[in-house]
Amino acid sequence: MFKKIKFVPMAVVLSLLPLPTLVQATPLKNNENTLNNVQSNIINMYLKDSITTNNLYDQINNAITTLNKESDNTKLILHLPGGTYYLDKNSHGRALGIIQIGSAINGTRILEIQGSTNKRNPTKLYANESAYWQSFIFGSYPKNITFSYLSFYRTEKTMSEGIITNVAKGYIDIKLLDGFP
C-alpha cells in the first residue's frame, strides 16, 4: 500500500514523529541531476567529531552557509561517519526537529547529507526518549536537500513504520509495512 503525501509549500515538515521505527533513506537515481542541472562543482565536507544533535545542527547549517557562498550548480556532500548514534531533543530556538534545517539553499545548489557507504558500518541515527515528540527531520526551507545512506530509528515504541520508495517534487511515497496503520 502506498500513500501519497502532499506538501504545503510554506514550511514543510518531514515528520517522522512517531511514525517510523525505521525509515531508510537511499540515494535517488541520478541525484547529481536532481534539478536537471549537472553539478559542475562537488565539495566534500566531513562531520567533525561524533554525531550529536547539537553537532549535527551546527555542521548542517555551516555546510549550507558554505554552499551558499559557492556558484550555482555546486553540490556539497556532508559525510557522516558510520556507527550508531543516539540523538537528544534539539533545543536550538524553536527547533521542531532533531535534524533541523534552519537555512535556505540558494539557486541550484544541492546539499547531500550522506551516511557511511560501508555496509559493515552503516550510519544509524536513533531518537532517544527526550526527542520522542520532535519530528526527526524539520526544515523551514527544505529545498535542494538529499539524504542518503542513513537509517532513522526511535528508541521508544511507535505507531507505524515504512520505507521511502519514491520522492519527487511535491510528494514522498512511503510503503507501509504489513501490520502497521
Side-chain angles (χ1 to χ4, degrees), residues 22 69 101 139 167:
L22 165 66
K69 291 177 184 175
I101 312 298
V167 178

Side-chain angles (χ1 to χ4, degrees), residues 5-96:
I5 299 172
K6 293 285 185 187
F7 283 122
V8 178
M10 294 176 3
V12 176
V13 179
L14 287 177
S15 179
L16 302 180
L17 160 84
L19 290 177
T21 299
L22 165 66
V23 172
Q24 189 164 7
T26 55
L28 299 173
K29 293 178 183 173
N30 297 323
N31 61 355
E32 288 187 23
N33 254 348
T34 303
L35 300 171
N36 297 324
N37 293 316
V38 176
Q39 302 315 114
S40 58
N41 185 24
I42 296 181
I43 301 169
N44 289 292
M45 288 180 68
Y46 295 86
L47 188 82
K48 298 172 185 165
D49 304 318
S50 181
I51 297 176
T52 65
T53 302
N54 288 335
N55 191 22
L56 200 52
Y57 175 85
D58 292 340
Q59 295 290 314
I60 288 172
N61 289 290
N62 287 339
I64 292 171
T65 300
T66 300
L67 181 59
N68 282 335
K69 291 177 184 175
E70 298 294 325
S71 62
D72 274 348
N73 297 327
T74 296
K75 179 178 186 175
L76 187 145
I77 303 171
L78 178 61
H79 297 272
L80 308 182
T84 300
Y85 303 94
Y86 293 88
L87 303 177
D88 296 317
K89 179 179 179 180
N90 192 335
S91 58
H92 285 87
R94 281 194 33 202
L96 300 173

Side-chain angles (χ1 to χ4, degrees), residues 8 48-49 68 73 101 107 129 135 147 149 152 157 159:
V8 178
K48 298 172 185 165
D49 304 318
N68 282 335
N73 297 327
I101 312 298
E129 308 82 42
S135 301
F147 292 85
Y149 298 101
F152 299 93
K157 290 182 182 179
M159 296 176 61

Side-chain angles (χ1 to χ4, degrees), residues 149-164:
Y149 298 101
L150 294 168
S151 295
F152 299 93
Y153 301 87
R154 291 196 179 269
T155 57
E156 297 294 312
K157 290 182 182 179
T158 59
M159 296 176 61
S160 190
E161 66 180 57
I163 299 170
I164 296 174

